[in-house]
Amino acid sequence: MITMKTLVIALIFLTIPTFLFSQSSLRVEPVKLTGPRELQDQTKTGAIRDYLEAWKSFSAALNQNRTDLLDADFVGTSKDKLKETIKQQAALGLHTHYQDVSHDLQIVFYSPEGLSIEMTDKVEYDMQVFDHEKNLATQHVSTRYVVVLTPSEVKWRVRVFQAMPE
Amino acid sequence: MTVRLAVLFGGLTVAMGQMALGQGGAITVPKTVEAGSAFSIQLSGSGKGTLFIVGPGQALKQDVELGGTASIAAGSLYNAGHYLAIVSGASATESEGFEVVPAAQPADVTFLAKPSRLPVSLHAGITGAVYVLDAYKNLIVTPAPVSFELTTPSGAVQKRTETTKDGSAWTAMDSTGQQGNDKFVARVGDISSARVIRQVPGDPCGLKMTAKQAGPKVDVATEPVKDCSGNAVPDGTIVTFTETFHGGLSTVDVPIKRGIAEVEMPVHTGATISVASGVVMGNQIGLGK
């Protein structure tokens, strides 16, 4: 028998944004390389895995305003820019929560010498901006990221991480 | 159960917060803004407020007068990406998303060239890849022509022009027959980046030796060791002389010195001496009975 309490809980469930609980969904388009170098499955899998991990550290770093959380997954320009953003957020008393909802990835370039992989990501994510603990704004964003990864000691790191209008 | 309910009510609070944000007046933000350019945001309402511009690339804040225009000065917002403009007043908070796109003018080229050293006469042996960036290190994803030039020590030039796709382009060039330093340049508009590629002689070609017997010894020496393009194979390259005779084998590794390799070996009646360098075989000489 459905009690009023059960009904209330069920209604509450329906109002909770899905991103609070769900894992992001992933779609990987067939590789469409413009370069001459063949992309091995292991390399492709590793690059995608490392990119998705980078999203986690990006989200955590900007939520907690901790630049050190970027070190494992970002390098070069993207790391410098994200670190600068974190410093600006911290100075302004802001923090942001990015929750990726879905990724639609395609690897578009593997440079001939094997030192970079470029991919595009039609990503959907939820962005929440907090002034101290006050939620200033929430937006569901659908955009296209252009990402360049370069190999480091044991993994691919994100060197370019840039959203572009679709 | 208590924890679960707390999480559920937390979720409800967030959902209600989202609804509240959707109400009220509007702000007008350009859909796209070029990196580093000045732009303005139209603000509704009245009184004082605060404008936030927040994205992965930057976070800005400035005091504004509601009902007017907020001006963002040139050079203030320069990292490409998606941003949220938020105006917070006494009674309402409004937000609108917009994109900052890279500046149109290239200002930097990231040039990956490989290898730094390779043998002469190798087809498509030299590769170069570029990423085109604006003055703020944003990747310019609109197509742009990239000129690649490989200049050899003799002055011969190989040229290719490629168009970037999603900010990148690549090419492959042949190493020429002449050893020495090549200059490999990638150019986008007025911006260029150069790398030095060293072409070294290839494997020995037509390896040939002569033998001169003197008593119980035989002196064997190569002719000047050159690659197939006529470049001298560098001193220090190992040449192997092998003498085979009834029931025995003698091998001597000799580095090339002043262009040739030479060694003295014992004479064995009916022996055969062969010469090789790496995987390249030279001639054989049979010693008399």
Side-chain angles (χ1 to χ4, degrees):
Chain A
M1 181 179 172
I2 298 174
T3 64
M4 182 59 81
K5 187 177 172 184
T6 311
L7 189 62
V8 168
I9 290 173
L11 286 171
I12 289 171
F13 254 123
L14 293 174
T15 62
I16 296 171
T18 52
F19 66 81
L20 288 178
F21 293 103
S22 64
Q23 292 277 328
S24 61
S25 68
L26 173 64
R27 178 184 164 88
V28 180
E29 302 291 342
V31 173
K32 200 174 177 183
L33 293 179
T34 56
R37 191 181 180 92
E38 190 182 344
L39 184 67
Q40 301 294 332
D41 281 345
Q42 197 175 356
T43 306
K44 176 183 162 187
T45 305
I48 291 171
R49 177 199 60 219
D50 294 342
Y51 169 64
L52 294 175
E53 275 185 21
W55 258 91
K56 289 180 189 163
S57 53
F58 154 69
S59 177
L62 272 84
N63 193 32
Q64 299 170 42
N65 283 340
R66 282 179 53 191
T67 57
D68 60 298
L69 296 178
L70 300 168
D71 292 340
D73 297 303
F74 291 87
V75 69
T77 308
S78 68
K79 186 166 137 183
D80 294 344
K81 289 185 176 190
L82 290 171
K83 281 191 168 182
E84 191 58 33
T85 304
I86 288 171
K87 287 177 188 168
Q88 290 167 349
Q89 285 192 167
L92 298 173
L94 301 175
H95 66 103
T96 43
H97 181 62
Y98 292 88
Q99 178 63 58
D100 49 338
V101 177
S102 67
H103 296 273
D104 186 352
L105 298 172
Q106 184 168 44
I107 294 179
V108 295
F109 182 57
Y110 188 20
S111 59
E113 75 300 318
L115 291 179
S116 67
I117 287 179
E118 183 176 14
M119 63 172 83
T120 60
D121 180 13
K122 289 179 184 171
V123 60
E124 289 192 31
Y125 62 89
D126 291 297
M127 174 185 179
Q128 291 177 288
V129 181
F130 295 88
D131 183 358
H132 297 92
E133 293 313 312
K134 180 188 172 192
N135 185 352
L136 280 179
T138 298
Q139 192 185 47
H140 182 78
V141 180
S142 178
T143 190
R144 177 177 181 263
Y145 263 78
V146 178
V147 181
V148 177
L149 300 110
T150 54
S152 60
E153 300 79 18
V154 291
K155 65 188 299 184
W156 292 89
R157 286 186 184 168
V158 177
R159 186 169 287 273
V160 174
F161 184 62
Q162 184 177 304
M164 297 299 302
E166 285 200 77
Chain B
M1 185 63 174
T2 309
V3 172
R4 192 174 174 190
L5 278 174
V7 170
L8 294 176
F9 280 112
L12 180 60
T13 307
V14 170
M16 290 169 69
Q18 286 176 302
M19 286 166 62
L21 285 170
Q23 297 168 351
I27 59 172
T28 308
V29 187
K31 285 275 182 202
T32 60
V33 173
E34 186 173 299
S37 64
F39 66 102
S40 56
I41 298 174
Q42 303 294 325
L43 310 168
S44 63
S46 59
K48 293 191 180 301
T50 307
L51 169 67
F52 300 91
I53 296 178
V54 185
Q58 277 178 266
L60 308 175
K61 177 183 178 182
Q62 70 179 57
D63 294 330
V64 292
E65 286 290 336
L66 301 179
T69 301
S71 297
I72 310 300
S76 300
L77 190 61
Y78 47 81
N79 284 329
H82 181 86
Y83 287 84
L84 204 53
I86 306 161
V87 180
S88 177
S91 59
T93 299
E94 311 297 336
S95 63
E96 189 65 51
F98 68 102
E99 309 280 344
V100 174
V101 299
Q105 187 66 31
D108 194 11
V109 176
T110 298
F111 185 24
L112 307 170
K114 274 247 173 168
S116 57
R117 187 171 178 273
L118 84 165
V120 296
S121 304
L122 202 59
H123 175 65
I126 301 169
T127 61
V130 296
Y131 292 96
V132 181
L133 308 170
D134 70 8
Y136 305 105
K137 305 288 182 196
N138 299 308
L139 185 68
I140 299 177
V141 295
T142 50
V146 182
S147 155
F148 293 97
E149 277 185 22
L150 183 74
T151 308
T152 63
S154 66
V157 179
Q158 292 179 61
K159 283 188 183 179
R160 305 260 196 289
T161 301
E162 306 292 343
T163 301
T164 58
K165 189 177 178 207
D166 288 319
S168 63
W170 70 278
T171 194
M173 303 269 195
D174 303 335
S175 64
T176 58
Q178 189 184 13
Q179 66 174 313
N181 289 341
D182 294 347
K183 190 177 177 189
F184 193 17
V185 178
R187 185 173 288 108
V188 183
D190 299 333
I191 308 302
S192 65
S193 180
R195 298 286 181 270
V196 173
I197 308 286
R198 178 151 181 76
Q199 291 191 175
V200 297
D203 289 331
C205 197
L207 186 60
K208 194 173 178 187
M209 67 175 168
T210 55
K212 195 179 290 177
Q213 192 171 339
K217 303 281 186 186
V218 58
D219 289 324
V220 286
T222 64
E223 293 180 355
V225 183
K226 295 184 176 178
D227 68 11
C228 295
S229 300
N231 299 293
V233 173
D235 283 2
T237 303
I238 298 296
V239 173
T240 303
F241 296 95
T242 304
E243 183 179 13
T244 52
F245 48 91
H246 181 66
L249 177 99
S250 174
T251 299
V252 185
D253 289 333
V254 182
I256 294 173
K257 195 174 176 182
R258 288 192 287 275
I260 64 167
E262 58 183 333
V263 71
E264 190 179 76
M265 302 182 85
V267 172
H268 293 92
T269 303
T272 300
I273 298 176
S274 63
V275 64
S277 180
V279 295
V280 176
M281 293 293 296
N283 62 324
Q284 287 189 348
I285 294 174
L287 300 181
K289 293 182 180 177

